[in-house]
Amino acid sequence: MIMLMPSRPHQRLAILGSTGSIGTQTLDIVDQHPNEFSVKVLTANGSMELLEKQVHQYRPEAVCLVDETKADALKKKMKGSVHVLSGYAGLNEAARWENADTIVQALVGNIGMKPTIEAIHARKKIALANKETLVSAGAVVMPLVKKHHIDLTPIDSEHSAIFQCLKGENVNEVTRLIITCSGGPFRGKTLNQLEGVTREQALNHPTWKMGGKITIDSATLMNKGFEVNEAMWLYDIPAEKIDVVVHPQSIIHSMVEFTDGSIMAQVGHHDMRIPIQYALTHPSHIKLNVPPFDFVKAKQFTFEQPDVKTFDCLQMGLDAAREKGTVCCVLNAANDTCVESFLKNEIEFLDIQRTIREVVSRHKNNKHPSFEDVLHADAWARKEAQKIMRELKTKRK
Ligand code: MG
């Protein structure tokens, strides 16, 4: 008997962060499936030119530029042909836009927290790339997701892998999540060797092509620390049951171990369009123009223990996942601040982990924070990180 699959409903997208790496790859998926998706809202931080091009191509109802001066300029140019929103308030409005039913949340850093909460309250389906939202505010966001029965699906490749391995399984039978890690561009380096590495070296990721901030987080291994937190919140699995293993080929995207010792793995090209598309179309896998995976060419998969002594950011991420509370947000906000400074060549690579370690050590953890407590911790950590970075500079003079 031939089973005909029911067709999926057409999805009207709001892409928050449409000019970034995840945003542009989402639009590539839209191009491949014009019957599946249409674009209702696009937002960008300050990339006005690219946003303008996207407006002409996708004809959304609304756009938002967080940079208010640029939003004003765009408004003048558009002459009312598209609704132009601005600032953080504009992002929140974009997240609850009435004519969009699915939000692709691809913002960078803690600024994603509020729009995610807005999207939940507006009962949107959420494809989440912005892991910082769960790291900082998982304790606030996940109860809301459950309460309102929101379909919140990760875009992060490791979490998409776990999501796929858990399909149809009983989470009570899971003994361990095994998150794989490429090791980043500095795998195998000692602390001494990391002194003075440049921004360009840190931005040169061996396997994944991503935006600047996440590429630096991958070089410090903070990204992996965040991903343990993200998995803990998404799958309600204690941090103690989540392992990290270095797998330099980035072909096994993550694994789930069950009580009988059986291990499920999700494997494939390191192409972010695969998890982006699956977050939108699950439980269906639909066509995507990727070449077949060649196991013979790949030759071998190898594994190593992560070096948490050299890469202190991973250790801090693991500690935060075990502790929970405002320390997770502090870690995230301090990291946001330090990575921004590193990308502007204001601090050295190792200053990132030194500064964050100091901010975390000065913080008094609140184990059960409200959203206001999280926002307060966020602002405190940013100020503190700035102060410590200044202190480090003065000491060196
Ligand atoms: Mg990832």
Side-chain angles (χ1 to χ4, degrees):
M1 193 175 78
I2 300 168
M3 295 278 287
L4 286 174
M5 289 297 287
S7 62
R8 282 170 302 283
H10 178 87
Q11 294 183 62
R12 300 170 302 166
L13 308 181
I15 305 173
L16 310 190
S18 67
T19 56
S21 170
I22 297 291
T24 50
Q25 292 180 84
T26 304
L27 289 169
D28 181 44
I29 290 165
V30 171
D31 293 342
Q32 291 187 43
H33 303 286
N35 295 329
E36 296 267 348
F37 309 110
S38 54
V39 175
K40 296 294 168 193
V41 185
L42 295 168
T43 87
N45 203 21
S47 308
M48 188 173 91
E49 273 175 33
L50 181 53
L51 186 68
E52 208 183 322
K53 268 191 200 149
Q54 292 177 344
V55 169
H56 289 302
Q57 188 173 348
Y58 297 96
R59 302 273 163 207
E61 293 175 3
V63 291
C64 173
L65 269 167
V66 175
D67 183 318
E68 304 200 355
T69 317
K70 288 184 179 170
D72 282 344
L74 186 67
K75 211 174 194 170
K76 276 185 197 135
K77 270 184 147 177
M78 289 295 152
K79 295 185 181 119
S81 62
V82 62
H83 194 84
V84 180
L85 305 162
S86 67
Y88 293 116
L91 269 188
N92 294 336
E93 209 175 317
R96 51 172 193 261
W97 193 257
E98 199 182 348
N99 285 339
D101 32 51
T102 302
I103 309 296
V104 177
Q105 210 280 50
L107 299 168
V108 176
N110 270 357
I111 61 153
M113 294 191 291
K114 193 81 177 54
T116 304
I117 292 173
E118 292 288 341
I120 293 169
H121 284 302
R123 308 291 197 273
K124 307 292 187 191
K125 171 178 166 174
I126 304 169
L128 185 71
N130 173 232
K131 68 191 81 182
E132 292 94 332
T133 284
L134 289 182
V135 178
S136 288
V140 178
V141 169
M142 287 317 282
L144 286 174
V145 166
K146 280 178 194 149
K147 185 178 162 196
H148 298 300
H149 308 287
I150 301 298
D151 174 357
L152 180 142
T153 308
I155 282 178
D156 208 348
S157 61
E158 294 78 0
H159 305 76
S160 176
I162 295 166
F163 181 65
Q164 294 178 59
C165 293
L166 285 173
K167 203 161 153 182
E169 303 288 353
N170 180 349
V171 85
N172 296 320
E173 295 168 359
V174 170
T175 47
R176 199 160 52 121
L177 303 182
I178 303 151
I179 298 185
T180 55
C181 168
S182 73
F186 302 137
R187 180 173 63 92
K189 291 229 185 305
T190 62
L191 269 181
N192 263 345
Q193 290 169 326
L194 288 178
E195 289 288 356
V197 293
T198 63
R199 177 180 170 273
E200 282 60 40
Q201 287 170 302
L203 283 171
N204 188 21
H205 195 273
T207 49
W208 292 98
K209 258 206 184 90
M210 306 174 288
K213 198 258 180 183
I214 188 173
T215 305
I216 301 303
D217 288 349
S218 300
T220 61
L221 298 199
M222 182 59 96
N223 183 52
K224 217 40 64 174
F226 285 167
E227 288 182 352
V228 170
N229 285 266
E230 185 186 6
M232 172 180 85
W233 289 115
L234 279 172
Y235 304 112
D236 205 10
I237 301 249
E240 291 75 10
K241 284 187 174 183
I242 308 174
D243 283 353
V244 173
V245 65
V246 174
H247 166 50
Q249 296 82 15
S250 302
I251 297 302
I252 300 176
H253 300 307
S254 276
M255 298 177 263
V256 178
E257 181 192 69
F258 295 90
T259 39
D260 58 358
S262 176
I263 296 174
M264 302 279 282
Q266 190 263 344
V267 180
H269 289 290
H270 31 80
D271 181 333
M272 280 310 294
R273 293 173 312 159
I274 301 172
I276 295 170
Q277 180 170 287
Y278 192 67
L280 296 171
T281 64
H282 77 89
S284 304
H285 293 271
I286 68 169
K287 181 97 187 97
L288 185 67
N289 66 345
V290 289
F293 187 80
D294 188 337
F295 279 90
V296 177
K297 241 190 197 163
K299 280 201 178 82
Q300 57 175 1
F301 293 170
T302 59
F303 305 95
E304 298 163 17
Q305 194 81 260
D307 179 1
V308 289
K309 281 219 163 73
T310 303
F311 296 94
D312 192 32
C313 286
L314 175 55
Q315 186 61 58
M316 288 188 278
L318 297 173
D319 293 343
R322 291 196 171 107
E323 279 179 44
K324 299 203 185 81
T326 43
V327 69
C328 301
C329 178
V330 163
L331 181 74
N332 210 335
N335 183 61
D336 265 2
T337 313
C338 292
V339 172
E340 202 185 320
S341 293
F342 178 70
L343 283 171
K344 289 184 196 153
N345 274 325
E346 290 168 358
I347 60 167
E348 291 179 14
F349 182 73
L350 285 177
D351 289 345
I352 300 174
Q353 65 187 44
R354 286 185 193 119
T355 304
I356 301 170
R357 174 58 76 184
E358 186 59 28
V359 176
V360 167
S361 74
R362 291 181 191 182
H363 177 66
K364 201 172 166 305
N365 193 23
N366 171 356
K367 288 251 187 196
H368 303 285
S370 66
F371 188 50
E372 280 63 40
D373 296 331
V374 170
L375 293 177
H376 190 258
D378 180 273
W380 175 85
R382 281 169 204 274
K383 257 194 217 147
E384 209 61 25
Q386 293 288 4
K387 204 160 85 188
I388 294 162
M389 286 191 289
R390 279 199 300 273
E391 286 167 13
L392 278 175
K393 255 192 195 163
T394 323
K395 250 191 224 162
R396 274 197 196 115
K397 270 179 194 164

